[in-house]
Amino acid sequence: MAVEGTTGRVTRRRVRTRANLLEAAFSVFAAKGFGHVSIEEVCEAAGYSRGAFYSNFSSLDELFFALYRERADLIAEQVSGALALDGPGLDVPAAVDRVTDVLLLDRDWLLVKTDFLVHAARDPDVARSLLEHRARLRQAIADRLGRARGHTALPAVLGDTDGAARAVVAAYDGVTTQLLLDRDVEHARAWLKQLLTALLTDGSGTPDQN
């Protein structure tokens, strides 16, 4: 029993250490930019040693992917939850309203993600990993659109549900890029709502049934 209790305490401590490192890294990345941060700076911000860092992450890239996975999972959950409220069909304008109302639009995260995107663009291995993580959000959207097939028509120009999901993610990327510059979250939500409604309907706000 003593061994199990000790193991439990160690596990909880390690989970807490990992969470603190992620939180500290996020703050430092947002303030200085991913490419300008060292492991030592992350450790200093978190109040841990390099040993604590390396017991949780092998590199800053691995730490970033842990951050990315957290937020990608959160966004996928937000999207899936908002889209799951309809029945077999999909009321596109209503679903778009729900998604854009809850979707994470955090400028600090966008700064970190954009810095890392530039880093990944110069490293094919990192780029492949980042593409795999990005695919998770796209798949969550494609799955929901797929369940609505036969009940809700999508514009033919988008092709299949994967094509529609790619268009949705591209719209999100474009709006968040603008958000980095103008810092207007409310405008970003409104503009994203207009774009997604136009993309997924005939442009009039009602699904195209032709």
Side-chain angles (χ1 to χ4, degrees):
M1 294 296 294
V3 172
E4 291 179 0
T6 300
T7 300
R9 287 196 297 273
V10 170
T11 300
R12 286 194 295 272
R13 184 166 65 246
R14 181 167 183 175
V15 169
R16 186 166 58 250
T17 298
R18 181 181 175 89
N20 289 341
L21 284 166
L22 287 169
E23 182 179 358
F26 177 76
S27 298
V28 177
F29 288 162
K32 300 188 66 174
F34 176 84
H36 302 284
V37 173
S38 66
I39 289 174
E40 289 78 7
E41 288 173 299
V42 172
C43 292
E44 181 179 353
Y48 292 120
S49 66
R50 286 174 61 92
F53 180 94
Y54 283 114
S55 70
N56 287 276
F57 305 103
S58 62
S59 64
L60 287 176
D61 283 0
E62 183 182 340
L63 184 152
F64 173 82
F65 281 124
L67 277 174
Y68 192 94
R69 185 161 46 250
E70 282 185 349
R71 282 156 179 78
D73 287 347
L74 172 60
I75 292 171
E77 288 171 7
Q78 290 172 331
V79 171
S80 297
L83 296 180
L85 296 178
D86 288 316
L90 185 64
D91 181 342
V92 172
V96 167
D97 282 348
R98 292 195 300 269
V99 168
T100 53
D101 283 345
V102 302
L103 193 61
L104 178 69
L105 289 174
D106 178 72
R107 190 172 179 274
D108 281 346
W109 168 240
L110 296 175
L111 284 169
V112 174
K113 187 177 74 169
T114 301
D115 281 338
F116 194 78
L117 178 62
V118 173
H119 168 61
R122 295 189 173 96
D123 187 323
D125 291 333
V126 177
R128 279 191 293 272
S129 296
L130 187 57
L131 286 170
E132 291 171 4
H133 285 284
R134 283 173 58 85
R136 299 182 67 171
L137 174 60
R138 189 173 67 246
Q139 190 60 51
I141 298 169
D143 287 347
R144 180 60 185 93
L145 295 176
R147 291 197 301 275
R149 181 178 290 173
H151 301 274
T152 303
L154 295 171
V157 69
L158 296 178
D160 58 12
T161 55
D162 183 66
R166 288 177 182 275
V168 168
V169 174
Y172 175 74
D173 285 343
V175 167
T176 53
T177 298
Q178 183 65 28
L179 175 58
L180 283 174
L181 301 176
D182 64 22
R183 302 169 182 254
D184 189 337
V185 175
E186 292 309 310
H187 180 264
R189 289 194 190 281
W191 183 228
L192 183 60
K193 186 177 298 187
Q194 293 176 31
L195 280 177
L196 294 183
T197 301
L199 274 172
L200 297 177
T201 69
D202 62 0
S204 66
T206 58
D208 182 3
Q209 298 297 333
N210 296 326

